[in-house]
Amino acid sequence: MSSPLDRVDTSTAHSARVYDYILGGKDHYLVDIEAGDAMCRHWPSLPVHMRENRLFMHRAGRFLAREMGIRQFLDVGTGLPTAPNLHEVVQEVAPESHVVYVDNDPIVLAHARALLQSSPEGATAYVDADMHDPDAILDSPEMRALIDLDQPVGLMVIGMLHFILPPADGQLVRRLLDPLPSGSYLAMTIGTADFAPEEVGRVAEEYARQNMPMVLRDLPTTTSFFDGLDLVEPGVTQVHKWRPDSGQRDVRDRDIAMYGAVARKP
C-alpha cells in the first residue's frame, strides 16, 4: 500500500517544508534547508516574520472562537503540524469546535494525524486538495460532514495568498467565501515588501529560483481582497500589530513582511 511520502518530491523545495525548517521543525529535506538558509542570508529577520505570522493565526482563531462565537473553521493551506494547531487554539475556548484542514503537500498529508487529535466534543478532518481547485475543497466529504453551511464559518487563509498569482488570487478567495453564510469571517495574511523592500525582494527572488513564485502586495492591493466585507478593528495591518497579546515581545516593523486582517461577511 502506497504512502503519501511516496509522492514527496525531495529534489525541489516546498514552501511548507521551508517554513517548517525555518521555524525549527523536523519535517523537511536537504533541498528545503538549502533554500531556507539562502533566504535567511538575504533577510535574517525571516524567522521572526514567520513566527509572527503563526502567532497572528493563533490570535485570530482565538478571537473568532471566544468573541465572535465561531464554532467551525476551514483552514486552507494548513502547512505542517506545528503546535498549537488551529483546533488546539479554538477547542481550548470551545471544545465542540469543528476544524477542516486543507493542504496539497503529501508530507503534510503524511503527518495529518497530528491535525486529527480533536477534543472528544469537537471534530477535525483533513482534505488533500489545492486552493486552486476550490470545488474539490467545498465538495469534499470531509467538508460536507463537518461544516454546516447554515452556520457561520471562520475561513483561515494564512500565509498562502502570496503564492497565488493574479488573476486567480481574488477569484479563489471569493469562491471559497461565496457558499459561506452571513456572519462568517475571513482571516487572511498576505506577504508584502512595503517595510523592507530590498531584503524581502531578494527573498521573493530566491523563492522564484526554487520554483515557488510569489507576489508581494502593497497595502491598497491587500485591502482590496476584503472588499465587501466588514473589517474588524484594527483593519489591515502588519500581523504583529493585529490585536497583540499583553506581554507580546517587541518586534520591529521592518522585520515583518506580512499584512493580516479579519473581516466579517455581511
Side-chain angles (χ1 to χ4, degrees):
M1 184 175 180
S2 64
S3 160
L5 291 175
D6 296 337
R7 294 164 40 203
V8 174
D9 180 0
T10 60
S11 66
T12 304
H14 189 282
S15 58
R17 302 194 309 259
V18 172
Y19 188 83
D20 173 78
Y21 166 64
I22 292 175
L23 287 182
K26 300 177 294 183
D27 298 305
H28 47 262
Y29 297 93
L30 178 60
V31 66
D32 307 303
I33 294 172
E34 292 172 345
D37 286 347
M39 293 169 190
C40 289
R41 285 194 296 270
H42 291 310
W43 190 39
S45 298
L46 187 57
V48 175
H49 154 86
M50 288 184 168
R51 183 175 60 247
E52 291 299 323
N53 179 65
R54 187 77 182 175
L55 291 174
F56 169 91
M57 184 274 285
H58 296 164
R59 296 195 305 277
R62 194 174 297 115
F63 166 80
L64 291 177
R66 178 177 294 151
E67 300 190 35
M68 299 295 104
I70 300 298
R71 296 293 180 263
Q72 45 185 8
F73 294 82
L74 176 61
D75 183 11
V76 179
T78 297
L80 284 156
T82 303
N85 294 292
L86 178 61
H87 72 279
E88 295 165 315
V89 172
V90 301
Q91 289 181 350
E92 184 178 0
V93 176
E96 70 274 21
S97 298
H98 289 190
V99 179
V100 174
Y101 292 107
V102 181
D103 208 295
N104 70 327
D105 181 15
I107 198 169
V108 180
L109 174 60
H111 292 273
R113 283 189 300 274
L115 300 173
L116 302 178
Q117 302 300 312
S118 173
S119 67
E121 303 92 334
T124 62
Y126 181 87
V127 178
D128 182 19
D130 193 318
M131 186 173 174
H132 286 94
D133 187 3
D135 288 340
I137 299 170
L138 296 168
D139 295 338
S140 66
E142 296 84 358
M143 175 81 178
R144 292 197 300 268
L146 263 65
I147 302 296
D148 177 2
L149 292 179
D150 290 328
Q151 299 297 324
V153 178
L155 172 61
M156 316 290 283
V157 185
I158 306 299
M160 268 291 295
L161 206 63
H162 38 276
F163 294 115
I164 307 294
L165 306 184
D169 44 13
Q171 298 168 9
L172 293 173
V173 174
R174 289 292 159 178
R175 179 69 186 92
L176 291 168
L177 267 175
D178 281 347
L180 306 186
S182 174
S184 294
Y185 285 83
L186 170 65
M188 188 157 59
T189 64
I190 299 174
T192 183
D194 282 359
F195 302 94
E198 292 185 10
E199 296 92 332
V200 175
R202 288 195 293 269
V203 172
E205 291 170 1
E206 185 65 37
Y207 268 104
R209 276 194 293 272
Q210 300 288 344
N211 199 32
M212 295 179 285
M214 64 163 54
V215 176
L216 299 168
R217 297 174 172 94
D218 59 15
L219 180 59
T221 305
T222 299
T223 304
S224 71
F225 287 104
F226 297 91
D227 285 351
L229 305 176
D230 299 327
L231 282 163
V232 171
E233 290 293 332
V236 180
T237 186
Q238 284 177 285
V239 288
H240 66 297
K241 295 181 175 180
W242 194 89
R243 297 177 174 252
D245 294 328
S246 60
Q248 186 168 318
R249 72 180 72 190
D250 290 333
V251 177
R252 303 177 301 178
D253 289 358
R254 65 178 179 270
D255 290 341
I256 304 299
M258 196 82 79
Y259 285 120
V262 176
R264 181 183 185 274
K265 182 177 179 180

